[in-house]
Short mmCIF file of all heavy atoms in Angstrom, two decimals:
data_model
loop_
_atom_site.label_atom_id
_atom_site.label_comp_id
_atom_site.label_asym_id
_atom_site.label_seq_id
_atom_site.Cartn_x
_atom_site.Cartn_y
_atom_site.Cartn_z
N ILE A 51 11.96 -3.02 -0.99
CA ILE A 51 11.73 -2.45 -2.32
C ILE A 51 12.88 -1.55 -2.77
O ILE A 51 13.26 -1.54 -3.93
CB ILE A 51 10.36 -1.74 -2.39
CG1 ILE A 51 9.92 -1.51 -3.83
CG2 ILE A 51 10.33 -0.43 -1.63
CD1 ILE A 51 8.84 -2.41 -4.27
N ARG A 52 13.44 -0.79 -1.82
CA ARG A 52 14.62 0.02 -2.13
C ARG A 52 15.64 -0.18 -1.03
O ARG A 52 15.28 -0.54 0.10
CB ARG A 52 14.24 1.52 -2.21
CG ARG A 52 13.56 1.89 -3.52
CD ARG A 52 12.97 3.29 -3.46
NE ARG A 52 11.86 3.34 -2.53
CZ ARG A 52 10.61 2.97 -2.82
NH1 ARG A 52 10.30 2.56 -4.02
NH2 ARG A 52 9.67 3.01 -1.91
N TYR A 164 13.15 -3.85 -12.51
CA TYR A 164 13.78 -3.22 -11.35
C TYR A 164 13.31 -3.79 -10.02
O TYR A 164 13.84 -3.47 -8.97
CB TYR A 164 13.47 -1.71 -11.35
CG TYR A 164 12.00 -1.43 -11.50
CD1 TYR A 164 11.14 -1.51 -10.42
CD2 TYR A 164 11.45 -1.14 -12.76
CE1 TYR A 164 9.78 -1.32 -10.56
CE2 TYR A 164 10.09 -0.94 -12.92
CZ TYR A 164 9.26 -1.04 -11.81
OH TYR A 164 7.91 -0.86 -11.97
N CYS A 165 12.27 -4.64 -10.05
CA CYS A 165 11.49 -4.88 -8.83
C CYS A 165 11.80 -6.22 -8.16
O CYS A 165 11.85 -7.27 -8.79
CB CYS A 165 10.01 -4.79 -9.16
SG CYS A 165 8.98 -4.90 -7.69
N VAL A 166 11.92 -6.16 -6.85
CA VAL A 166 12.30 -7.34 -6.08
C VAL A 166 11.06 -8.15 -5.64
O VAL A 166 11.17 -9.30 -5.23
CB VAL A 166 13.14 -6.88 -4.85
CG1 VAL A 166 12.27 -6.24 -3.78
CG2 VAL A 166 13.97 -8.01 -4.28
N PRO A 265 0.45 3.42 -11.34
CA PRO A 265 1.88 3.72 -11.43
C PRO A 265 2.38 3.72 -12.87
O PRO A 265 2.18 2.74 -13.59
CB PRO A 265 2.53 2.57 -10.64
CG PRO A 265 1.45 2.13 -9.69
CD PRO A 265 0.17 2.28 -10.47
N GLN A 267 5.73 4.88 -13.67
CA GLN A 267 7.18 4.62 -13.52
C GLN A 267 8.04 5.53 -14.38
O GLN A 267 9.04 6.07 -13.92
CB GLN A 267 7.56 3.15 -13.76
CG GLN A 267 6.67 2.13 -13.09
CD GLN A 267 6.61 2.20 -11.55
OE1 GLN A 267 7.25 3.04 -10.94
NE2 GLN A 267 5.82 1.34 -10.94
N ARG A 279 7.59 -3.12 -18.48
CA ARG A 279 6.27 -2.73 -17.99
C ARG A 279 5.14 -3.21 -18.91
O ARG A 279 3.97 -3.11 -18.56
CB ARG A 279 6.20 -1.21 -17.82
CG ARG A 279 7.02 -0.70 -16.66
CD ARG A 279 6.45 -1.11 -15.33
NE ARG A 279 5.23 -0.38 -14.99
CZ ARG A 279 4.52 -0.62 -13.89
NH1 ARG A 279 4.86 -1.57 -13.06
NH2 ARG A 279 3.42 0.08 -13.65
N ASP A 305 3.17 6.35 -9.42
CA ASP A 305 4.53 6.16 -8.90
C ASP A 305 5.51 6.46 -10.03
O ASP A 305 5.26 6.08 -11.18
CB ASP A 305 4.78 4.70 -8.49
CG ASP A 305 3.93 4.24 -7.32
OD1 ASP A 305 3.33 5.09 -6.64
OD2 ASP A 305 3.88 3.02 -7.08
N ILE A 306 6.63 7.09 -9.68
CA ILE A 306 7.63 7.42 -10.70
C ILE A 306 9.02 7.05 -10.18
O ILE A 306 9.34 7.29 -9.01
CB ILE A 306 7.59 8.93 -11.03
CG1 ILE A 306 6.25 9.26 -11.71
CG2 ILE A 306 8.75 9.33 -11.93
CD1 ILE A 306 6.00 10.73 -11.90
N ILE A 307 9.81 6.46 -11.05
CA ILE A 307 11.20 6.15 -10.70
C ILE A 307 12.12 7.06 -11.52
O ILE A 307 12.02 7.09 -12.75
CB ILE A 307 11.54 4.67 -11.00
CG1 ILE A 307 10.65 3.74 -10.17
CG2 ILE A 307 13.02 4.40 -10.73
CD1 ILE A 307 10.87 2.26 -10.47
N TYR A 334 3.99 9.29 -5.87
CA TYR A 334 5.07 8.79 -5.02
C TYR A 334 6.29 8.67 -5.93
O TYR A 334 6.24 8.01 -6.96
CB TYR A 334 4.70 7.43 -4.43
CG TYR A 334 3.45 7.51 -3.59
CD1 TYR A 334 2.21 7.22 -4.13
CD2 TYR A 334 3.53 7.93 -2.26
CE1 TYR A 334 1.05 7.33 -3.36
CE2 TYR A 334 2.39 8.04 -1.49
CZ TYR A 334 1.15 7.74 -2.05
OH TYR A 334 0.02 7.85 -1.29
N PHE A 336 10.54 8.19 -6.57
CA PHE A 336 11.70 7.50 -6.01
C PHE A 336 12.91 7.61 -6.93
O PHE A 336 12.76 7.66 -8.14
CB PHE A 336 11.39 6.00 -5.83
CG PHE A 336 10.05 5.73 -5.22
CD1 PHE A 336 8.97 5.35 -6.00
CD2 PHE A 336 9.87 5.88 -3.85
CE1 PHE A 336 7.72 5.10 -5.43
CE2 PHE A 336 8.64 5.64 -3.27
CZ PHE A 336 7.56 5.24 -4.06
N LYS A 337 14.09 7.53 -6.32
CA LYS A 337 15.32 7.33 -7.09
C LYS A 337 15.46 5.84 -7.34
O LYS A 337 15.21 5.04 -6.43
CB LYS A 337 16.52 7.76 -6.24
CG LYS A 337 17.07 9.10 -6.60
CD LYS A 337 18.43 9.29 -5.95
CE LYS A 337 18.29 9.93 -4.59
NZ LYS A 337 19.57 10.24 -3.96
N TYR A 338 15.89 5.46 -8.53
CA TYR A 338 16.10 4.05 -8.79
C TYR A 338 17.15 3.49 -7.83
O TYR A 338 18.20 4.08 -7.60
CB TYR A 338 16.56 3.82 -10.24
CG TYR A 338 17.00 2.40 -10.48
CD1 TYR A 338 16.13 1.33 -10.25
CD2 TYR A 338 18.30 2.10 -10.92
CE1 TYR A 338 16.53 0.02 -10.43
CE2 TYR A 338 18.71 0.79 -11.11
CZ TYR A 338 17.82 -0.24 -10.87
OH TYR A 338 18.22 -1.54 -11.04
N SER A 339 16.82 2.34 -7.27
CA SER A 339 17.72 1.67 -6.34
C SER A 339 17.89 0.23 -6.83
O SER A 339 16.92 -0.52 -6.91
CB SER A 339 17.07 1.72 -4.95
OG SER A 339 17.64 0.78 -4.08
N GLU A 340 19.11 -0.11 -7.20
CA GLU A 340 19.31 -1.45 -7.76
C GLU A 340 19.08 -2.52 -6.69
O GLU A 340 19.62 -2.42 -5.58
CB GLU A 340 20.73 -1.56 -8.31
CG GLU A 340 20.97 -2.88 -9.02
CD GLU A 340 22.37 -2.94 -9.62
OE1 GLU A 340 23.30 -3.36 -8.91
OE2 GLU A 340 22.51 -2.56 -10.80
N ARG A 341 18.29 -3.52 -7.02
CA ARG A 341 18.02 -4.60 -6.08
C ARG A 341 18.68 -5.88 -6.57
O ARG A 341 18.49 -6.28 -7.74
CB ARG A 341 16.50 -4.84 -5.93
CG ARG A 341 15.68 -3.63 -5.60
CD ARG A 341 16.23 -2.77 -4.45
NE ARG A 341 16.20 -3.41 -3.15
CZ ARG A 341 17.22 -3.46 -2.30
NH1 ARG A 341 18.38 -2.92 -2.62
NH2 ARG A 341 17.09 -4.03 -1.14
N1 LIG B 501 13.96 1.41 -7.11
C1 LIG B 501 13.16 2.50 -6.95
N2 LIG B 501 11.84 2.41 -6.86
C2 LIG B 501 11.27 1.19 -6.97
N3 LIG B 501 9.98 0.80 -6.94
C3 LIG B 501 9.93 -0.54 -7.08
N4 LIG B 501 11.18 -1.03 -7.20
C4 LIG B 501 12.02 0.04 -7.14
C5 LIG B 501 13.43 0.17 -7.22
N5 LIG B 501 14.23 -0.88 -7.40
C6 LIG B 501 8.86 1.74 -6.82
C7 LIG B 501 7.92 1.65 -8.00
C8 LIG B 501 6.73 0.93 -7.43
C9 LIG B 501 6.74 1.43 -6.01
C10 LIG B 501 5.94 0.60 -5.06
O1 LIG B 501 8.10 1.40 -5.67
O2 LIG B 501 7.59 2.95 -8.39
O3 LIG B 501 5.53 1.27 -8.09
#
Side-chain angles (χ1 to χ4, degrees):
I51 197 106
R52 282 169 292 277
Y164 51 80
C165 186
V166 75
Q267 314 300 0
R279 289 291 288 177
D305 294 347
I306 294 172
I307 299 177
Y334 300 95
F336 315 102
K337 258 194 269 185
Y338 171 58
S339 163
E340 185 177 88
R341 307 312 293 132

